Amino acid sequence: MPLPFLTADRVFEAANDVPLPYDDRDLWRRPYRPGPWRVAVAALALLLASFVLFAAVIIAVTAELTSAGVVFALSLLVIAAALRLLRMGVWVSARGLRHVGFLTTRTAPWEQVASVRTVQQPVRWLGLPRTVQGQALLLGRRDREAGGMPPLMTTHNADFLGRAVAFDRAADSVEVWAEEYGPR
């Protein structure tokens, strides 16, 4: 019995040019995967939160409920910080470009984006004060001066440390989005 869906020699339909149903350009998407440093720190934070939650249960059984509530709130704070850490990065959609930091989120509509370019400059190593020579993806906005904006992403941040090829692909992807949706 022939199974045409399992064979490599079948003829494909001409309907391959139809966009996939999940390919909605209006949704915010990160054009790269989170890096191993970011995922490792978030996983360790979630592991710590599980221990703190277990401690809250033990405190609730053996001690006062108010102290258990404080420890439970601390574990929720650690979980929220880990999830926010995973959310950090550059996000793009048809509406604009969004840079999500740990405490702040800045969104620039494509009409305000003057340029998105990769430059060689001293960058911060994992966000710490120490700087090293690397590449950064910079956003130029029409309504602000060029030097006032921090870089969108660098070769030495938690997503791309030790992954120069991944940085190049991500920077190219963001630049393509800016070229496609930016003002003409």
Side-chain angles (χ1 to χ4, degrees):
M1 171 167 103
L3 299 173
F5 58 88
L6 294 178
T7 61
D9 59 346
R10 77 168 191 201
V11 177
F12 291 100
E13 295 85 23
N16 286 340
D17 295 336
V18 178
L20 298 172
Y22 59 84
D23 195 22
D24 188 7
R25 300 286 223 174
D26 289 330
L27 296 177
W28 290 101
R29 67 183 69 212
R30 185 181 359 217
Y32 58 92
R33 293 183 181 147
W37 288 90
R38 186 175 310 281
V39 172
V41 169
L44 288 175
L46 290 173
L47 182 66
L48 173 70
S50 70
F51 287 123
V52 174
L53 276 172
F54 186 64
V57 170
I58 291 174
I59 290 172
V61 171
T62 61
E64 297 178 9
L65 289 178
T66 57
S67 58
V70 170
V71 174
F72 181 72
L74 177 67
S75 69
L76 290 180
L77 185 67
V78 172
I79 291 170
L83 293 177
R84 185 64 181 183
L85 184 68
L86 288 173
R87 180 113 173 107
M88 289 173 58
V90 177
W91 295 75
V92 291
S93 80
R95 294 179 293 211
L97 186 134
R98 181 174 285 173
H99 183 237
V100 177
F102 190 71
L103 297 175
T104 61
T105 299
R106 291 185 311 268
T107 303
W110 290 120
E111 295 81 31
Q112 293 178 356
V113 173
S115 66
V116 176
R117 66 189 189 287
T118 305
V119 296
Q120 186 83 18
Q121 70 177 29
V123 296
R124 298 173 93 187
W125 185 76
L126 289 176
L128 299 172
R130 178 177 176 228
T131 59
V132 294
Q133 192 64 23
Q135 292 182 342
L137 184 69
L138 298 179
L139 171 68
R141 292 182 61 160
R142 296 185 191 283
D143 57 350
R144 296 192 184 153
E145 73 248 7
M149 299 288 293
L152 294 173
M153 56 187 174
T154 67
T155 54
H156 289 80
N157 68 2
D159 287 324
F160 302 109
L161 185 63
R163 299 172 54 215
V165 175
F167 173 80
D168 292 337
R169 276 187 300 194
D172 290 344
S173 177
V174 173
E175 289 172 357
V176 165
W177 275 82
E179 187 177 308
E180 184 176 344
Y181 288 103
R184 308 262 183 242

